[in-house]
Coordinates of all heavy atoms in Angstrom, one line a residue:
M23 N 190.9 110.9 58.0 CA 190.8 109.6 58.6 C 192.2 109.0 58.7 O 193.0 109.2 57.8 CB 189.9 108.7 57.7 CG 189.5 107.5 58.3 SD 188.4 106.4 57.4 CE 187.4 107.4 56.4
Q24 N 192.5 108.4 59.8 CA 193.8 107.9 60.1 C 194.0 106.5 59.4 O 193.1 105.7 59.4 CB 194.0 107.7 61.6 CG 194.1 109.1 62.3 CD 194.4 108.9 63.7 OE1 194.5 107.8 64.3 NE2 194.6 110.0 64.4
D25 N 195.2 106.2 58.9 CA 195.5 104.9 58.3 C 195.9 104.0 59.5 O 197.0 104.2 60.1 CB 196.6 105.1 57.3 CG 197.0 103.7 56.7 OD1 196.2 102.8 56.9 OD2 198.0 103.7 56.0
T26 N 195.1 103.0 59.8 CA 195.4 102.2 61.0 C 196.0 100.8 60.5 O 196.4 100.0 61.4 CB 194.1 101.9 61.8 OG1 193.1 101.3 60.9 CG2 193.6 103.2 62.4
R27 N 196.0 100.6 59.2 CA 196.6 99.3 58.7 C 198.0 99.0 59.2 O 198.2 97.9 59.7 CB 196.5 99.2 57.2 CG 196.8 97.9 56.7 CD 196.5 97.8 55.2 NE 196.6 96.4 54.7 CZ 197.8 96.0 54.2 NH1 198.8 96.7 54.1 NH2 197.8 94.7 53.8
P28 N 198.9 100.0 59.2 CA 200.3 99.6 59.7 C 200.3 99.2 61.1 O 201.1 98.4 61.5 CB 201.0 101.0 59.5 CG 200.3 101.7 58.4 CD 198.8 101.3 58.6
L29 N 199.3 99.8 61.9 CA 199.3 99.4 63.3 C 198.8 98.0 63.5 O 199.2 97.3 64.5 CB 198.3 100.4 64.1 CG 198.7 101.8 64.1 CD1 197.7 102.7 64.7 CD2 200.1 102.0 64.8
L30 N 198.0 97.5 62.6 CA 197.4 96.1 62.7 C 198.4 95.1 62.2 O 198.4 94.0 62.6 CB 196.1 96.1 61.9 CG 195.0 96.9 62.4 CD1 193.8 96.9 61.5 CD2 194.5 96.5 63.8
L31 N 199.3 95.5 61.2 CA 200.2 94.5 60.7 C 201.2 94.1 61.7 O 201.6 92.9 61.7 CB 200.9 95.1 59.4 CG 199.9 95.4 58.2 CD1 200.7 96.1 57.1 CD2 199.3 94.1 57.7
E32 N 201.7 95.0 62.5 CA 202.7 94.7 63.5 C 202.0 94.7 64.9 O 202.0 95.7 65.6 CB 203.8 95.8 63.5 CG 204.6 95.9 62.2 CD 205.4 94.6 62.0 OE1 205.8 94.0 62.9 OE2 205.6 94.3 60.8
S33 N 201.4 93.5 65.2 CA 200.7 93.4 66.5 C 200.8 92.0 67.1 O 200.9 91.1 66.4 CB 199.2 93.8 66.2 OG 198.4 93.5 67.3
D34 N 200.7 92.0 68.4 CA 200.6 90.7 69.1 C 199.2 90.4 69.5 O 199.0 89.5 70.3 CB 201.6 90.6 70.3 CG 201.3 91.7 71.3 OD1 200.3 92.5 71.0 OD2 201.9 91.8 72.3
F35 N 198.3 91.1 68.9 CA 196.9 90.8 69.1 C 196.5 89.4 68.7 O 196.9 89.0 67.6 CB 196.0 91.9 68.4 CG 194.6 91.9 68.9 CD1 194.2 92.6 70.0 CD2 193.6 91.2 68.2 CE1 192.9 92.7 70.5 CE2 192.3 91.2 68.7 CZ 191.9 92.0 69.8
P36 N 195.8 88.6 69.5 CA 195.5 87.3 69.1 C 194.7 87.2 67.8 O 193.9 88.0 67.5 CB 194.7 86.7 70.3 CG 194.5 87.8 71.2 CD 195.3 89.0 70.8
A37 N 195.0 86.1 67.1 CA 194.2 85.9 65.8 C 192.7 85.8 66.1 O 192.3 85.2 67.2 CB 194.7 84.6 65.1
M38 N 191.9 86.3 65.2 CA 190.4 86.2 65.4 C 189.9 85.1 64.4 O 190.4 84.9 63.3 CB 189.8 87.5 65.1 CG 190.2 88.6 66.1 SD 189.3 90.1 66.0 CE 190.0 90.8 64.5
R39 N 188.8 84.5 64.9 CA 188.2 83.5 64.0 C 186.8 83.9 63.7 O 186.1 84.5 64.6 CB 188.1 82.1 64.8 CG 189.5 81.4 64.8 CD 189.4 80.1 65.6 NE 189.0 80.3 67.0 CZ 188.0 79.7 67.6 NH1 187.3 78.8 67.0 NH2 187.8 80.0 68.9
R40 N 186.3 83.7 62.5 CA 184.9 84.1 62.1 C 183.9 83.2 62.7 O 184.0 81.9 62.5 CB 184.9 84.2 60.6 CG 183.6 84.7 60.1 CD 183.5 84.7 58.6 NE 184.6 85.4 58.0 CZ 184.8 85.6 56.7 NH1 184.1 85.0 55.9 NH2 185.8 86.3 56.3
L41 N 182.9 83.7 63.3 CA 181.7 82.8 63.7 C 180.5 83.2 62.9 O 180.6 84.0 61.9 CB 181.5 83.1 65.2 CG 182.7 82.8 66.1 CD1 182.3 83.2 67.6 CD2 183.1 81.3 66.1
G42 N 179.4 82.7 63.2 CA 178.1 83.0 62.5 C 177.7 84.5 62.7 O 178.1 85.1 63.7
V43 N 177.0 85.0 61.8 CA 176.5 86.4 61.9 C 175.2 86.4 62.7 O 174.3 85.7 62.5 CB 176.1 87.0 60.5 CG1 175.5 88.3 60.6 CG2 177.4 87.0 59.6
D44 N 175.3 87.2 63.8 CA 174.1 87.3 64.6 C 173.7 88.8 64.9 O 172.8 89.1 65.6 CB 174.1 86.5 65.9 CG 175.2 87.0 66.9 OD1 175.9 88.0 66.5 OD2 175.3 86.5 67.9
T45 N 174.6 89.7 64.4 CA 174.4 91.1 64.6 C 174.7 91.9 63.3 O 175.7 91.6 62.6 CB 175.3 91.7 65.7 OG1 175.0 91.0 66.9 CG2 175.1 93.2 66.0
L46 N 173.8 92.8 63.0 CA 174.0 93.6 61.8 C 174.2 95.1 62.2 O 173.4 95.6 62.8 CB 172.8 93.5 60.8 CG 172.8 94.3 59.6 CD1 173.9 93.9 58.6 CD2 171.5 94.2 58.9
Q47 N 175.3 95.7 61.8 CA 175.6 97.1 62.0 C 175.5 97.8 60.7 O 176.2 97.4 59.8 CB 177.0 97.3 62.7 CG 177.3 98.7 63.1 CD 178.0 99.5 62.1 OE1 178.8 98.9 61.3 NE2 177.8 100.8 62.0
A48 N 174.7 98.8 60.6 CA 174.4 99.4 59.3 C 174.9 100.8 59.2 O 174.5 101.6 60.1 CB 172.9 99.3 59.0
N49 N 175.6 101.2 58.2 CA 175.9 102.6 57.9 C 174.9 103.0 56.8 O 175.0 102.6 55.7 CB 177.4 102.7 57.4 CG 178.3 102.5 58.5 OD1 178.9 101.4 58.6 ND2 178.5 103.4 59.4
L50 N 174.0 103.8 57.2 CA 172.9 104.2 56.3 C 173.3 105.3 55.3 O 172.6 105.6 54.3 CB 171.7 104.6 57.0 CG 171.1 103.6 58.0 CD1 169.9 104.1 58.8 CD2 170.8 102.3 57.4
G51 N 174.4 105.9 55.6 CA 174.9 107.0 54.8 C 176.0 107.8 55.5 O 176.4 107.3 56.6
Y52 N 176.4 108.9 55.0 CA 177.4 109.7 55.6 C 176.9 110.9 56.3 O 177.7 111.6 56.9 CB 178.4 110.1 54.5 CG 179.1 108.9 53.8 CD1 179.4 109.0 52.5 CD2 179.5 107.8 54.5 CE1 180.1 107.9 51.9 CE2 180.2 106.8 53.9 CZ 180.4 106.8 52.6 OH 181.1 105.8 52.0
R53 N 175.6 111.1 56.3 CA 175.1 112.3 57.0 C 175.0 111.9 58.5 O 174.4 110.9 58.8 CB 173.8 112.7 56.4 CG 173.3 114.0 57.0 CD 172.1 114.6 56.3 NE 170.9 113.8 56.5 CZ 169.8 113.8 55.8 NH1 169.8 114.6 54.8 NH2 168.8 113.0 56.0
C54 N 175.4 112.8 59.3 CA 175.3 112.6 60.8 C 175.3 114.0 61.4 O 175.8 115.0 60.9 CB 176.6 111.8 61.2 SG 176.5 111.4 63.0
N55 N 174.7 114.0 62.6 CA 174.6 115.3 63.4 C 176.0 115.6 64.0 O 176.2 116.8 64.4 CB 173.6 115.2 64.5 CG 172.2 115.0 64.0 OD1 171.9 115.4 62.9 ND2 171.3 114.3 64.7
Q56 N 176.9 114.7 64.1 CA 178.2 114.9 64.6 C 179.2 114.9 63.5 O 178.9 114.5 62.4 CB 178.5 113.7 65.6 CG 177.5 113.5 66.7 CD 177.3 114.6 67.6 OE1 178.3 115.3 68.0 NE2 176.1 114.9 68.0
S57 N 180.4 115.2 63.8 CA 181.6 115.1 62.9 C 182.8 114.8 63.7 O 183.8 115.5 63.8 CB 181.8 116.4 62.1 OG 181.9 117.5 63.0
C58 N 182.8 113.6 64.2 CA 183.9 113.1 65.1 C 185.2 112.9 64.3 O 185.1 112.4 63.2 CB 183.4 111.8 65.8 SG 181.9 111.9 66.6
A59 N 186.3 113.2 64.9 CA 187.6 113.0 64.3 C 187.9 111.6 64.0 O 188.6 111.2 63.1 CB 188.7 113.7 65.2
H60 N 187.3 110.7 64.9 CA 187.6 109.3 64.8 C 186.7 108.5 63.8 O 186.8 107.3 63.7 CB 187.6 108.6 66.1 CG 186.3 108.7 66.8 ND1 186.0 109.7 67.7 CD2 185.2 108.0 66.7 CE1 184.7 109.6 68.1 NE2 184.2 108.5 67.5
C61 N 185.7 109.2 63.2 CA 184.7 108.6 62.4 C 185.3 107.7 61.3 O 186.1 108.1 60.5 CB 183.8 109.6 61.8 SG 182.4 108.9 61.0
H62 N 184.8 106.5 61.3 CA 185.3 105.5 60.3 C 184.7 105.7 58.9 O 185.2 105.1 57.9 CB 185.1 104.1 60.7 CG 183.6 103.7 60.8 ND1 182.7 104.3 61.6 CD2 182.9 102.8 60.1 CE1 181.5 103.8 61.5 NE2 181.6 102.8 60.5
V63 N 183.7 106.6 58.7 CA 183.1 106.9 57.4 C 183.2 108.4 57.1 O 182.6 108.8 56.1 CB 181.7 106.4 57.3 CG1 181.6 104.9 57.3 CG2 180.8 107.0 58.3
N64 N 183.9 109.1 57.9 CA 184.0 110.6 57.7 C 182.7 111.2 57.6 O 182.4 112.1 56.7 CB 184.9 110.8 56.5 CG 185.5 112.3 56.5 OD1 185.6 112.9 57.6 ND2 185.8 112.8 55.3
A65 N 181.7 110.8 58.4 CA 180.4 111.4 58.4 C 180.3 112.8 58.9 O 181.2 113.2 59.7 CB 179.4 110.5 59.2
G66 N 179.3 113.5 58.6 CA 179.1 114.9 59.2 C 177.8 115.5 58.7 O 177.2 115.0 57.8
P67 N 177.5 116.7 59.2 CA 176.2 117.3 58.8 C 176.2 117.8 57.4 O 175.1 118.0 56.8 CB 176.1 118.5 59.8 CG 177.4 118.5 60.6 CD 178.2 117.3 60.3
S68 N 177.4 118.0 56.8 CA 177.4 118.5 55.4 C 177.4 117.4 54.4 O 177.2 117.6 53.1 CB 178.6 119.4 55.1 OG 179.8 118.6 55.3
R69 N 177.5 116.1 54.8 CA 177.5 115.0 53.9 C 176.0 114.7 53.4 O 175.1 114.9 54.2 CB 178.1 113.7 54.5 CG 179.5 113.9 55.0 CD 180.5 114.1 53.8 NE 180.6 113.0 52.9 CZ 181.4 112.0 53.0 NH1 182.3 112.0 54.0 NH2 181.4 111.1 52.1
T70 N 175.9 114.3 52.2 CA 174.5 114.1 51.6 C 174.3 112.6 51.2 O 173.1 112.2 50.9 CB 174.3 115.0 50.4 OG1 175.3 114.7 49.4 CG2 174.3 116.5 50.9
E71 N 175.4 111.8 51.1 CA 175.2 110.5 50.6 C 174.4 109.6 51.5 O 174.7 109.6 52.7 CB 176.5 109.8 50.4 CG 177.5 110.6 49.5 CD 178.4 111.5 50.2 OE1 178.0 112.1 51.3 OE2 179.6 111.7 49.8
M72 N 173.3 108.9 51.0 CA 172.5 108.1 51.8 C 172.2 106.8 51.1 O 172.1 106.8 49.9 CB 171.2 108.8 52.2 CG 171.4 110.0 53.1 SD 169.9 110.9 53.5 CE 169.0 109.7 54.3
M73 N 171.9 105.8 51.8 CA 171.4 104.5 51.3 C 170.1 104.7 50.6 O 169.2 105.4 51.1 CB 171.3 103.5 52.4 CG 171.1 102.1 51.9 SD 171.0 100.9 53.4 CE 172.7 100.9 53.8
D74 N 169.9 104.0 49.4 CA 168.6 104.2 48.7 C 167.6 103.3 49.4 O 167.9 102.4 50.1 CB 168.8 103.9 47.2 CG 169.2 102.4 46.9 OD1 168.6 101.5 47.4 OD2 170.2 102.2 46.2
R75 N 166.3 103.6 49.0 CA 165.2 102.9 49.7 C 165.2 101.4 49.5 O 164.9 100.6 50.4 CB 163.9 103.5 49.2 CG 162.7 103.0 49.9 CD 162.6 103.5 51.3 NE 162.4 102.5 52.3 CZ 162.1 102.7 53.6 NH1 162.1 103.9 54.1 NH2 161.9 101.7 54.4
D76 N 165.5 100.9 48.3 CA 165.6 99.5 48.0 C 166.6 98.8 48.9 O 166.3 97.7 49.4 CB 165.9 99.2 46.5 CG 164.7 99.6 45.6 OD1 163.6 99.7 46.2 OD2 164.9 99.7 44.4
T77 N 167.7 99.4 49.1 CA 168.8 98.8 49.9 C 168.4 98.8 51.4 O 168.6 97.9 52.1 CB 170.1 99.5 49.7 OG1 170.4 99.6 48.3 CG2 171.3 98.8 50.4
V78 N 167.7 99.9 51.8 CA 167.2 100.0 53.2 C 166.2 98.8 53.4 O 166.3 98.1 54.4 CB 166.5 101.3 53.5 CG1 165.8 101.3 54.8 CG2 167.6 102.4 53.5
D79 N 165.3 98.6 52.4 CA 164.4 97.5 52.6 C 165.0 96.1 52.7 O 164.7 95.3 53.5 CB 163.4 97.5 51.4 CG 162.4 98.6 51.5 OD1 162.2 99.2 52.6 OD2 161.7 98.9 50.5
L80 N 166.1 95.9 51.9 CA 166.9 94.7 52.0 C 167.5 94.6 53.3 O 167.5 93.5 53.9 CB 167.9 94.7 50.8 CG 168.8 93.5 50.8 CD1 168.0 92.2 50.6 CD2 169.9 93.6 49.7
L81 N 168.1 95.7 53.8 CA 168.7 95.7 55.1 C 167.7 95.3 56.2 O 168.0 94.6 57.1 CB 169.3 97.1 55.4 CG 169.9 97.4 56.7 CD1 171.2 96.6 56.8 CD2 170.2 98.8 56.9
L82 N 166.5 95.9 56.1 CA 165.5 95.6 57.1 C 165.1 94.1 57.1 O 164.8 93.5 58.1 CB 164.3 96.5 56.9 CG 164.5 98.0 57.2 CD1 163.3 98.8 56.8 CD2 164.8 98.2 58.7
D83 N 165.1 93.5 55.9 CA 164.8 92.1 55.8 C 165.8 91.3 56.5 O 165.5 90.3 57.3 CB 164.8 91.6 54.3 CG 163.5 92.1 53.6 OD1 162.5 92.5 54.2 OD2 163.6 92.1 52.3
V84 N 167.1 91.6 56.3 CA 168.2 90.9 57.0 C 168.1 91.2 58.5 O 168.3 90.2 59.3 CB 169.6 91.4 56.5 CG1 170.7 90.8 57.3 CG2 169.7 91.0 55.0
A85 N 167.9 92.4 58.9 CA 167.8 92.8 60.3 C 166.6 92.0 61.0 O 166.8 91.5 62.1 CB 167.6 94.3 60.5
E86 N 165.5 91.9 60.3 CA 164.4 91.2 60.8 C 164.8 89.7 61.0 O 164.4 89.1 62.1 CB 163.2 91.2 59.8 CG 161.9 91.0 60.4 CD 160.8 91.4 59.4 OE1 160.6 92.6 59.1 OE2 160.2 90.5 58.9
A87 N 165.5 89.1 60.1 CA 166.0 87.7 60.3 C 166.9 87.6 61.4 O 166.9 86.6 62.1 CB 166.6 87.2 59.0
L88 N 167.8 88.6 61.7 CA 168.7 88.5 62.8 C 168.1 89.0 64.1 O 168.7 88.7 65.1 CB 169.9 89.4 62.4 CG 170.8 88.9 61.3 CD1 171.9 89.9 61.0 CD2 171.4 87.5 61.5
E89 N 167.0 89.8 64.0 CA 166.4 90.3 65.1 C 167.2 91.4 65.9 O 167.0 91.6 67.0 CB 165.9 89.2 66.1 CG 164.9 88.3 65.5 CD 164.4 87.2 66.4 OE1 165.0 87.1 67.5 OE2 163.6 86.4 66.0
K90 N 168.2 91.9 65.2 CA 169.1 93.0 65.8 C 169.5 94.0 64.8 O 169.8 93.6 63.7 CB 170.4 92.4 66.4 CG 170.1 91.4 67.5 CD 171.5 90.9 68.0 CE 171.2 89.9 69.1 NZ 172.5 89.4 69.7
I91 N 169.5 95.3 65.1 CA 170.0 96.3 64.2 C 170.5 97.5 65.0 O 169.9 97.9 66.0 CB 168.9 96.7 63.2 CG1 169.6 97.6 62.1 CG2 167.7 97.4 63.8 CD1 168.7 97.7 60.9
F92 N 171.6 98.0 64.6 CA 172.2 99.2 65.2 C 172.5 100.2 64.1 O 173.6 100.2 63.5 CB 173.5 98.8 66.0 CG 173.3 97.8 67.0 CD1 173.5 96.5 66.8 CD2 172.8 98.2 68.3 CE1 173.3 95.5 67.8 CE2 172.6 97.2 69.3 CZ 172.8 95.9 69.0
P93 N 171.6 101.1 63.8 CA 171.8 102.0 62.7 C 172.9 103.0 63.0 O 173.1 103.4 64.1 CB 170.5 102.8 62.5 CG 169.5 102.0 63.4 CD 170.3 101.2 64.4
S94 N 173.7 103.3 61.9 CA 174.8 104.3 62.1 C 175.0 105.0 60.7 O 174.8 104.3 59.7 CB 176.0 103.6 62.5 OG 177.1 104.5 62.5
P95 N 175.2 106.2 60.6 CA 175.3 107.2 61.7 C 174.0 107.4 62.5 O 173.1 106.6 62.4 CB 175.8 108.5 61.0 CG 176.3 108.1 59.7 CD 175.5 106.8 59.3
D96 N 173.9 108.5 63.1 CA 172.8 108.8 64.0 C 171.5 108.6 63.3 O 171.2 109.2 62.4 CB 173.0 110.2 64.4 CG 172.1 110.6 65.6 OD1 171.5 109.7 66.2 OD2 171.9 111.8 65.8
P97 N 170.6 107.6 63.8 CA 169.3 107.3 63.2 C 168.4 108.5 63.0 O 167.8 108.6 61.9 CB 168.7 106.3 64.2 CG 169.8 105.7 64.9 CD 170.9 106.8 65.0
P98 N 168.4 109.6 63.8 CA 167.5 110.7 63.5 C 167.8 111.4 62.3 O 167.0 112.2 61.7 CB 167.7 111.6 64.8 CG 168.1 110.7 65.9 CD 168.9 109.6 65.2
A99 N 169.1 111.2 61.7 CA 169.4 111.9 60.5 C 168.8 111.2 59.3 O 168.9 111.7 58.2 CB 171.0 111.8 60.3
F100 N 168.1 110.1 59.5 CA 167.5 109.4 58.4 C 166.0 109.3 58.5 O 165.5 108.3 59.0 CB 168.1 108.0 58.3 CG 169.5 108.1 58.0 CD1 170.5 108.2 59.0 CD2 170.0 108.1 56.7 CE1 171.8 108.3 58.7 CE2 171.3 108.2 56.4 CZ 172.2 108.3 57.4
P101 N 165.2 110.3 58.1 CA 163.8 110.3 58.2 C 163.2 109.0 57.5 O 163.6 108.6 56.4 CB 163.3 111.5 57.4 CG 164.5 112.4 57.3 CD 165.7 111.5 57.3
G102 N 162.3 108.4 58.2 CA 161.6 107.2 57.6 C 162.3 105.9 58.1 O 161.6 104.8 58.0
F103 N 163.5 105.9 58.5 CA 164.1 104.7 58.9 C 163.5 104.3 60.3 O 163.3 105.1 61.2 CB 165.6 104.8 59.1 CG 166.3 103.5 59.4 CD1 166.6 102.6 58.4 CD2 166.6 103.1 60.7 CE1 167.1 101.4 58.6 CE2 167.2 101.9 60.9 CZ 167.4 101.1 59.9
G104 N 163.2 103.0 60.4 CA 162.7 102.5 61.6 C 161.2 102.5 61.6 O 160.6 102.1 62.6
H105 N 160.6 102.9 60.5 CA 159.1 102.9 60.5 C 158.6 101.8 59.6 O 157.5 101.9 59.1 CB 158.6 104.3 60.0 CG 159.0 105.4 60.9 ND1 158.4 105.6 62.1 CD2 160.0 106.3 60.8 CE1 159.0 106.6 62.7 NE2 159.9 107.1 61.9
G106 N 159.4 100.9 59.2 CA 159.0 99.7 58.4 C 159.2 99.9 57.0 O 159.5 101.0 56.5
K107 N 159.1 98.9 56.2 CA 159.3 98.9 54.8 C 158.2 99.6 54.0 O 157.1 99.6 54.4 CB 159.4 97.4 54.3 CG 160.6 96.7 54.7 CD 160.6 95.3 54.3 CE 160.6 95.2 52.8 NZ 160.7 93.8 52.4
G108 N 158.6 100.2 52.9 CA 157.7 100.8 52.0 C 157.1 102.1 52.4 O 156.1 102.5 51.9
R109 N 157.6 102.8 53.4 CA 157.1 104.1 53.9 C 158.0 105.2 53.5 O 159.1 105.1 53.3 CB 156.9 104.0 55.4 CG 155.9 103.0 55.7 CD 155.4 103.2 57.1 NE 154.4 102.1 57.4 CZ 154.3 101.6 58.6 NH1 154.9 102.0 59.6 NH2 153.5 100.6 58.8
Ligands
LIG1 S1 178.8 108.3 62.6 FE1 179.4 108.2 64.7 S2 181.6 108.5 64.7 FE2 180.9 109.2 62.7 S3 180.5 111.4 63.0 FE3 178.5 110.3 63.4 S4 178.5 110.0 65.7 FE4 180.7 110.5 65.0

């Protein structure tokens, strides 16, 4: 993984302001069908770490409140996700 912090410290990129949360992007674990060089979580097919069921249920509660969810890494790598709570 590349260290991008030095690139951000010396930048003329305009300052950002925090607004309300209306989108939830979830990293469900490190297992993924891909192994992209630019991956921000170093995911790949050999990784085994995954979010536990209780945390997934909490995530689904938040996603339901926001009405938006974009699972990451690749959703097919997580059997049971997207089929509702408690399954
Ligand atoms: S999570 Fe995204 S960036 Fe990372 S390896 Fe999978 S497809 Fe690539």
Side-chain angles (χ1 to χ4, degrees):
M23 195 174 331
Q24 293 184 354
D25 181 10
T26 56
R27 188 169 187 269
L29 300 173
L30 296 173
L31 294 176
E32 299 294 328
S33 171
D34 59 357
F35 195 81
M38 294 189 285
R39 288 180 293 130
R40 183 182 304 177
L41 302 175
V43 176
D44 66 359
T45 300
L46 176 65
Q47 186 266 328
N49 292 102
L50 304 178
Y52 296 143
R53 188 170 68 198
C54 184
N55 296 333
Q56 309 293 324
S57 54
C58 306
H60 61 266
C61 184
H62 67 297
V63 294
N64 200 24
S68 63
R69 301 294 298 267
T70 58
E71 305 93 325
M72 294 177 62
M73 187 179 288
D74 63 53
R75 186 70 228 187
D76 288 344
T77 307
V78 169
D79 285 346
L80 178 62
L81 177 69
L82 291 172
D83 287 343
V84 173
E86 203 170 288
L88 295 174
E89 298 178 356
K90 296 179 182 182
I91 189 164
F92 302 95
S94 174
D96 191 16
F100 296 89
F103 187 81
H105 299 286
K107 292 174 62 174
R109 297 198 182 146

